[in-house]
Amino acid sequence: MLHPRYLRYAKQALFFAFIWLLFGIVYSLLEQGILGRSSFYPSTQNRYDFKSSLLYATTGSFLIGLIHGWLEVSWLSQKFYNKALWVKVVLKSGFYLIFMFLFLTFFTLAINSYRFDASPMSKEVMYGFESFFTTFSFWSVFIYIAFGLVTAMLFAELASYLGPNVFLNFLFGKYHTPKQETRIFMFMDMRSSTTIAEKIGHTKYFELLKDCYADMGNAILETSGEIYQYVGDEIVVTWPEKVGLYRNNWAECFFRITRLFETRNGYYSNKYGSVPFFKAGFHLGLVTTGEIGTLKKEIIYTGDVLNTTARIQAECNTYGKSNLVSEQLIQKMNSKDSLQFTKIAKLHLRGKKELVQLYTLDQSSKTNSI
């Protein structure tokens, strides 16, 4: 199975590729509408036929989109993480336009070489190449590509603000009609957050939260988690049941985040004078998922599982534990799972008769003691 990080990169790169493919198809149709039955491009006298033009435009657009998408999600988006949106668009547009100019140069040489059945450096191919680049034909194509580039980047930035899964769910209307599904939730909260905020000041504390959530990103990504909400110093992560149970993604996410802050101890001590530690509550249950709102739309989850998970996380302080897990979640795990739990207590939920048995997860153990 492909690693979740690279699976996410591949999905996002394909999203770029399909946007570019759509632009390539539209370009070919516009070109056909303008040229009609003409066998030559009027400005360059290069040969033209619709089928070849459609093939070149769609192939080239898809390749450009794939390269653009991979560079964006695996490299450039990380380089410009802390920049304002307009700065990202301007700087990245400059980089990509240089790249597109070079790509268009080599792509044009390759097409002319194929059309004339000659070497890329032959006189006939070079003449067609020079004719194309010294007329408005080239700049019209370049402007069209630039428009596609900016459009793809704006879609990517929009997806990053909403979250890729949320954006696609909005786009395809997955939750336009409410749906019921079983999900695992992790409510993770910073210990002694009020004390830390008073010690370092609220501006510095905000920077601390930004660093913490940025550092958590890879752990959540690599365990196929979805960030549902940031609520001050609390982050809510969720998994569909099968995804969360696969290889204990829900537990592995917590382990990775915990180890991360242990290894980043020096960084946080030097910068903030405090090392953040997080406590987490885990639960599984049925939720109703759907779009809500008119002035501002969101995809939200409703159900007892959210309130229960929040209560479970709040009990970490009571029992002095870094994590608490509900029995309902543990019972869903496979018997072969090599995790050890210690029974803690039963949680009484306000307004309900049933009690929730709580366990704590021991990350140093390799065998399941349930």
Side-chain angles (χ1 to χ4, degrees):
M1 186 177 178
L2 191 64
H3 191 286
R5 177 188 297 178
Y6 298 115
L7 181 62
R8 178 173 178 263
Y9 287 170
K11 285 181 178 178
Q12 289 184 300
L14 283 171
F15 178 69
F16 276 82
F18 282 114
I19 291 176
W20 278 99
L21 177 63
L22 180 62
F23 271 87
I25 293 171
V26 171
Y27 179 83
S28 295
L29 294 175
L30 288 173
E31 189 177 59
Q32 167 67 7
I34 294 170
L35 295 178
R37 296 184 179 181
S38 176
S39 299
F40 296 91
Y41 288 97
S43 58
T44 63
Q45 294 303 305
N46 288 335
R47 296 174 192 170
Y48 167 77
D49 71 272
F50 175 67
K51 289 183 179 179
S52 296
S53 175
L54 180 63
L55 176 63
Y56 300 144
T58 53
T59 303
S61 297
F62 189 83
L63 287 174
I64 290 175
L66 208 56
I67 296 169
H68 178 196
W70 193 265
L71 285 173
E72 178 66 28
V73 301
S74 65
W75 180 49
L76 276 184
S77 61
Q78 299 169 23
K79 293 293 183 184
F80 295 102
Y81 168 74
N82 287 320
K83 302 294 183 183
L85 177 60
W86 73 269
V87 175
K88 289 181 186 178
V89 172
V90 170
L91 293 180
K92 286 198 274 188
S93 294
F95 171 83
Y96 284 125
L97 287 175
I98 293 171
F99 169 78
M100 295 303 167
F101 183 88
L102 296 174
F103 183 91
L104 198 57
T105 298
F106 289 112
F107 194 66
T108 303
L109 284 172
I111 290 174
N112 285 343
S113 177
Y114 175 78
R115 280 174 171 165
F116 293 114
D117 192 21
S119 165
M121 302 308 294
S122 67
K123 191 173 182 180
E124 190 176 23
V125 170
M126 290 304 297
Y127 177 76
F129 171 77
E130 290 171 7
S131 298
F132 176 59
F133 269 74
T134 53
T135 63
F136 186 71
S137 298
F138 165 73
W139 294 108
S140 65
V141 174
F142 192 73
I143 291 168
Y144 190 80
I145 287 176
F147 180 72
L149 175 73
V150 173
T151 302
M153 280 199 300
L154 287 174
F155 268 107
E157 288 299 326
L158 180 61
S160 72
Y161 277 95
L162 293 175
N165 290 333
V166 174
F167 177 74
L168 291 176
N169 289 337
F170 271 127
L171 188 63
F172 295 110
K174 182 178 179 180
Y175 296 116
H176 187 68
T177 301
K179 292 179 172 58
Q180 287 196 326
E181 54 187 355
T182 302
R183 281 186 166 266
I184 298 170
F185 284 88
M186 175 179 75
F187 279 54
M188 181 171 267
D189 182 68
M190 187 188 295
R191 293 182 189 172
S192 306
S193 57
T194 304
T195 303
I196 295 173
E198 289 176 352
K199 178 182 175 183
I200 65 176
H202 290 286
T203 301
K204 196 80 170 176
Y205 178 67
F206 185 83
E207 294 298 322
L208 171 64
L209 288 179
K210 283 184 66 176
D211 273 351
C212 288
Y213 292 148
D215 281 345
M216 289 179 184
N218 279 338
I220 296 168
L221 173 62
E222 291 170 357
T223 53
S224 302
E226 302 170 17
I227 298 173
Y228 174 43
Q229 286 180 334
Y230 298 106
V231 187
D233 58 355
E234 181 178 72
I235 182 172
V236 181
V237 182
T238 182
W239 295 262
E241 181 181 4
K242 289 183 179 179
V243 176
L245 292 176
Y246 178 73
R247 293 185 177 180
N248 297 321
N249 274 328
W250 64 273
E252 184 62 24
C253 182
F254 175 73
F255 293 161
R256 292 189 183 204
I257 290 173
T258 302
R259 289 195 295 267
L260 171 84
F261 287 110
E262 289 173 354
T263 59
R264 296 269 283 167
N265 185 303
Y267 170 81
Y268 284 97
S269 292
N270 293 333
K271 187 172 181 180
Y272 300 105
S274 298
V275 179
F277 290 99
F278 287 82
K279 56 186 187 293
F282 297 90
H283 189 38
L284 170 145
L286 190 68
V287 292
T288 300
T289 312
E291 293 181 20
I292 195 169
T294 51
L295 296 178
K296 179 182 182 296
K297 287 186 176 291
E298 280 191 62
I299 293 176
I300 68 165
Y301 304 109
T302 60
D304 286 343
V305 60
L306 284 97
N307 293 330
T308 303
T309 312
R311 285 285 312 280
I312 290 172
Q313 184 270 120
E315 292 299 310
C316 288
N317 287 336
T318 303
Y319 298 103
K321 301 297 180 182
S322 64
N323 69 86
L324 289 172
V325 187
S326 71
E327 188 173 49
Q328 288 91 326
L329 174 53
I330 293 173
Q331 287 175 343
K332 287 286 186 176
M333 294 171 59
N334 298 322
S335 58
K336 62 183 180 181
D337 289 332
S338 56
L339 294 173
Q340 182 173 343
F341 302 89
T342 302
K343 186 179 288 189
I344 299 298
K346 289 188 176 181
L347 174 65
H348 180 265
L349 298 176
R350 192 179 300 111
K352 292 186 175 291
K353 293 181 179 180
E354 66 270 21
L355 301 177
V356 178
Q357 179 63 59
L358 300 180
Y359 293 80
T360 188
L361 174 60
D362 181 5
Q363 58 184 319
S364 64
S365 177
K366 297 297 181 184
T367 57
N368 194 338
S369 65
I370 298 297

